[in-house]
Amino acid sequence: MQSMILGVVLSVCAAASYAGSIEKLQAFIADTRSAKASFSQSQLDKNGKKISATSGKLSFSRPGKFRWEYEKPYEQVIVGDGVKLWVYDKDLNQVTVKKLDGAIGSSPAALLAGNNEIENHYQLSAKGVKNGLDWLEAFPREESMFQKVRMGFSGNTLEAMELFDHLGQITSIRFSKVEKNPALANGVFSFTPPDGADVITE
């Protein structure tokens, strides 16, 4: 009897924990109109071997404006200005421009910088607490370059994202120095191609 009661209690606690991660995502979206943070990113192959490691900083403002700056080991800037998506590779001196609507729809950027209607683009599944973070999985409802995205929360603050592509590779991102609703400088979400850069429009 005691083991049965314990099992029921643990099941209820687990259910409550699982519900928490989706609620934390919803609270993060509702409470965070804009943010800036530092990040470290690593890519793993399907066998779990690290392929690459990068770091940088990001800012976003809803809906649809964001800036990701990779600083090490190479420099790349990705800017969504609300209309267009700009990707600048400094080493190649090349800029790629796309329409933002088509590029952001079911991408991970939509989870951060999109509107509040996340469940229109993703099916959410709570996964409980692991390594101190409350996790959920988001499965794209539309065609996407990712099979799923995992998000880990500490309180109502997003601390981790894991992106699983169709080749079995995982991109793991850890956020630090997260500031919610900061005062962002004018022009942070605008981009002008550098002189002499090749500009490719898709």
Side-chain angles (χ1 to χ4, degrees):
M1 178 63 72
Q2 288 180 338
S3 61
M4 183 180 297
I5 293 173
L6 177 60
V8 171
V9 171
L10 290 176
S11 297
V12 170
C13 289
S17 175
Y18 284 13
S21 57
I22 295 177
E23 293 170 353
K24 288 174 182 177
L25 172 60
Q26 293 168 341
F28 175 77
I29 294 170
D31 297 341
T32 312
R33 300 180 303 277
S34 62
K36 63 180 182 179
S38 298
F39 70 87
S40 59
Q41 176 177 315
S42 59
Q43 187 172 11
L44 310 177
D45 66 17
K46 62 182 180 181
N47 298 316
K49 181 180 178 180
K50 183 181 290 187
I51 301 171
S52 63
T54 57
S55 62
K57 57 187 178 182
L58 67 93
S59 303
F60 71 81
S61 178
R62 291 198 178 91
K65 295 183 179 182
F66 55 92
R67 185 182 190 94
W68 292 66
E69 297 185 45
Y70 291 91
E71 299 172 337
K72 295 178 181 180
Y74 57 84
E75 295 185 38
Q76 185 183 61
V77 179
I78 304 173
V79 177
D81 63 10
V83 178
K84 295 180 180 179
L85 177 72
W86 304 81
V87 180
Y88 171 53
D89 189 310
K90 185 174 182 179
D91 289 344
L92 298 177
N93 198 26
Q94 178 177 292
V95 179
T96 304
V97 189
K98 303 178 182 181
K99 289 184 178 179
L100 187 61
D101 285 347
I104 197 175
S106 62
S107 73
L111 285 169
L112 296 179
N115 57 32
N116 291 354
E117 300 174 351
I118 289 228
E119 292 182 72
N120 287 349
H121 298 290
Y122 287 86
Q123 178 180 345
L124 305 179
S125 175
K127 293 300 177 183
V129 177
K130 182 178 180 181
N131 296 329
L133 298 181
D134 206 348
W135 291 89
L136 64 80
E137 291 183 346
F139 297 86
R141 297 184 185 276
E142 306 152 11
E143 183 177 350
S144 172
M145 62 187 297
F146 296 103
Q147 287 186 331
K148 67 179 180 180
V149 178
R150 298 184 77 235
M151 306 178 73
F153 290 85
S154 176
N156 291 337
T157 299
L158 178 66
E159 290 206 1
M161 292 180 72
E162 296 178 351
L163 319 174
F164 295 73
D165 70 17
H166 295 280
L167 299 177
Q169 295 182 343
I170 303 172
T171 300
S172 176
I173 305 172
R174 294 296 183 268
F175 302 103
S176 61
K177 302 178 182 177
V178 179
E179 296 182 40
K180 294 183 181 180
N181 305 316
L184 297 171
N186 292 332
V188 69
F189 302 117
S190 62
F191 184 83
T192 301
D195 292 339
D198 293 327
V199 179
I200 302 171
T201 302
E202 297 183 355

